[in-house]
Structures are given as structure tokens and as C-alpha cells.
Amino acid sequence: MYGVLRSVAVAAGASSALLGPAMAPADSGAAAMVAPHPARAAEGVRGGGDGTLITRLHTPYRHVDRLTRARHPLRLQGGTLTRPDHPWIDAHSVIDVLKRPFVSGTMHWHKDLKVTTTATERRFRGNGHPDHPTGRFPVQKGTPAYKYYAEIPAHGYPSAAAIPIKPWNLDVTVPRNPSVRAHPTCIDQLTTGMALAGGTFHLEVATDAEDRPVDPNAALPLDRCWGHPYDTQYHYHGPSRPCFGGSKPSKASVNTRTRHSPLVGYAIDGFGIYGPRGEDGKIVRNKDLDVCHGHRHAIMWDGRKVVMYHYHLNGDCPYSIGCFRGKPVTVPGSGRGWH
């Protein structure tokens, strides 16, 4: 998630961090920047490329939903999560996105992502910058999100609020036609996938100011695209598609509410990551998905309709990927184990 002195060991050394080891502050690399201004949480909420708006997240803290709790990557290994005491989490441990402040301000970036394929591989090379605006990082004093970031320590910075977004060398090669393995693989690094928008997806486990494991979506505000930087690397959490496929749902995107959500990225095992709607156009829930947050049916894949396993983003914990059904590759520059 962000850059802390240590990260949470999950499964076979799986990790995430609310903060991450970071280098000394420097220029952000942003192409343009607009001065931040305090923003109400409900402003700028977008529906994503398929016109779907998710405003409530069913967290792993819910006692009434054992299926949701059991599927969190940390709980798969018998661990427990600390529930942050924040105003956007209600008595039933449901996150109300409209009450969670956003990281305000606007920064524009130059996306440099090249996706190439061979008969057997798919390679992603880029600078880690998204093709959409982000919130302003470092997080600015006087904005609604600042106090939550300012209380988190960060190596090399006064606090997490001071960490900027910077380019990095994204170079990942995954199988072009992955296969489902007999047993799922636990997550053992921060990066779980690459978004076609240019950023990356991260593990849904983090640590708070007291080094306790938490749900990243419950712990800190994100920007309007559900992202922020870890170790200066911009990445996404939760059902992170609000800025994928354009800022406003078009008439065509609204029509996709009756169809399967589009492809938004690839997991590091090679399988596709799609939005929250299944083949009947209905929002998928955990009961529709396996323990890794995916299932198998007909999808569009490399321009052809095939029956294939794939992952979904939705509002039920772990929101994206809980484990890998294929064989994951190692992402250079992604944190592993304890920092």
C-alpha cells in the first residue's frame, strides 16, 4: 500500500505495507499539477468503464459474513486484522465510500506502457504512471486526507503524507495462455497485477502506525481512482475501476450493465482481471467466485471468445485477488517479506 518500515507477512511470506521503504523526496515527475482544494468525499465519484458505481465495501471485519472474512489473504493463513476506527466504517464494518475522504488535488502523468506478446508470453514494460489524473501526492496540509497520512511513519520522510509519485521500471512477463494449477498459490509480494491504465494492483493487506495488519481500504483515504503511491510507486486498491475507460460512463458503457465487464488488467499469473459484472451482467459477489476471487466461463480473450478462468474486482473483500490460480511470476521492485 504505502511505504512503512515493515510489511505484513502473509501466507508463504506474503507481504504488504501501509508505507514502504522510500527514497529521499525529489521531483514527482508529474506533467502538470493543479493546486489542491478541500473536497467533499461524494464529489467526483465515478462509475468506471462499465458504468458501475460501487459505494459500499464489505470488509473482512464483518462478523455476519463468514465467507467474506474467510477469503481475505491474511485470514487464509489464520491471521487477524485490526479494524481502524474511522468515520467511514459503520457499526457493521462496512466502508461507506461516500464518507471516506479522497486525496484531493489533481496531477497529470505521462503513461508509458507497452504490452507485447509472443506465442507464449505477454510482456509489460512501462514507467508505472497511469493514463488518468491522480490525487496530489505528497498529500497537502489542510486537505481532508492529510491527517490520516500524517500519522503514519515513513522511512526517509516526515510521514506518509510526504511521499510523492515517481516513475519506476515496470518490466513484467507473464504467460499469455495461463493454466489453472491443482492448488492455489498464496500471495508473497505486494504487486498482484498490472492495470491497462498504467498503474499496478497491490495486495489488500497493510500495516498501520502501530505495525498491525489492516485492510488498506479501511485504513487510509485513496484518490478518486482508488490509488496512491507505495515506495513512490502508484498502485490501486479495492474495486479500482473508477478511472478505467474514461472519466464518464458513455451511453455504450451504460449498455454494458447487461453484459460482462471489460478487461482492466492482468494478474501476475497471466489471468485477466475484469470489472464487477459477470456474464449475465449482474454484479458478482463472493458466492459467485472461488477463494482466489475468480471463476471460469466465456470471456473475450485476445480478441476471441473463450471459456477461461479470470478474476473480478467487486465490493466484497478481498475486492481483487486473494490468491493465484496460476503460477505467479516475481515482479522486480515489488516488496517481499519484511521490510
Side-chain angles (χ1 to χ4, degrees):
M1 183 174 166
Y2 230 83
V4 105
L5 300 179
R6 301 171 65 187
S7 63
V8 181
V10 184
S15 65
S16 176
L18 191 59
L19 302 165
M23 312 214 345
D27 291 339
S28 67
M33 181 168 62
V34 176
H37 59 278
R40 295 172 55 190
E43 294 177 354
V45 177
R46 296 166 176 169
D50 60 1
T52 303
L53 178 63
I54 293 178
T55 60
R56 295 175 68 80
L57 301 184
H58 300 280
T59 74
Y61 310 111
R62 299 184 72 211
H63 295 288
V64 296
D65 188 347
R66 293 183 179 181
L67 185 60
T68 293
R69 296 174 65 232
R71 292 186 178 199
H72 193 277
L74 185 60
R75 289 190 180 277
L76 287 174
Q77 298 302 310
T80 59
L81 291 168
T82 298
R83 180 187 183 279
D85 184 19
H86 292 329
W88 55 86
I89 306 174
D90 69 17
H92 302 289
S93 293
V94 174
I95 295 174
D96 185 339
V97 177
L98 300 183
K99 291 183 178 179
R100 185 176 65 181
F102 291 117
V103 174
S104 56
T106 303
M107 302 181 79
H108 298 273
W109 307 92
H110 171 67
K111 169 190 170 183
D112 180 17
L113 177 64
K114 295 179 177 63
V115 184
T116 57
T117 59
T118 66
T120 60
E121 295 180 331
R122 195 183 314 273
R123 186 177 183 182
F124 301 81
R125 287 182 291 176
N127 60 5
H129 282 173
D131 60 7
H132 55 74
T134 70
R136 185 177 180 182
F137 297 92
V139 182
Q140 301 298 291
K141 291 183 178 180
T143 60
Y146 179 79
K147 68 176 182 178
Y148 299 103
Y149 282 84
E151 67 185 15
I152 305 296
H155 180 65
Y157 293 90
S159 72
I163 300 178
I165 296 173
K166 294 183 182 180
W168 63 288
N169 183 30
L170 171 63
D171 191 347
V172 183
T173 299
V174 301
R176 182 173 180 179
N177 295 294
S179 58
V180 174
R181 307 177 87 187
H183 302 288
T185 300
C186 295
I187 301 174
D188 68 350
Q189 56 190 304
L190 295 182
T191 303
T192 58
M194 291 70 63
L196 294 176
T200 54
F201 299 100
H202 269 208
L203 175 66
E204 300 294 348
V205 183
T207 53
D208 65 8
E210 298 180 25
D211 206 26
R212 299 172 300 184
V214 294
D215 178 347
N217 299 277
L220 281 178
L222 303 172
D223 69 14
R224 287 176 174 79
C225 298
W226 296 64
H228 63 182
Y230 156 81
D231 195 12
T232 72
Q233 298 176 8
Y234 185 80
H235 66 276
Y236 307 100
H237 283 292
S240 45
R241 328 124 16 258
C243 298
F244 298 167
S247 61
K248 294 182 179 180
S250 64
K251 182 177 180 180
S253 72
V254 171
N255 290 338
T256 63
R257 295 179 184 182
T258 62
R259 302 197 303 269
H260 196 277
S261 289
L263 177 76
V264 296
Y266 295 84
I268 61 172
D269 62 0
F271 286 114
I273 303 173
Y274 292 77
R277 295 187 182 275
E279 57 184 336
D280 56 1
K282 295 181 180 179
I283 301 292
V284 293
R285 304 301 302 269
N286 273 4
K287 63 182 179 62
D288 306 310
L289 305 171
D290 67 11
V291 69
C292 293
H293 220 61
H295 60 186
R296 177 184 175 89
H297 61 64
I299 56 174
M300 292 303 299
W301 187 255
D302 285 340
R304 298 184 299 116
K305 192 170 186 178
V306 298
V307 176
M308 186 176 182
Y309 184 85
H310 57 284
Y311 301 102
H312 276 277
L313 304 174
N314 71 2
D316 292 344
C317 175
Y319 320 117
S320 55
I321 297 172
C323 53
F324 297 109
R325 292 299 303 184
K327 182 179 180 180
V329 301
T330 298
V331 179
S334 178
R336 300 174 67 92
W338 295 86
H339 289 292

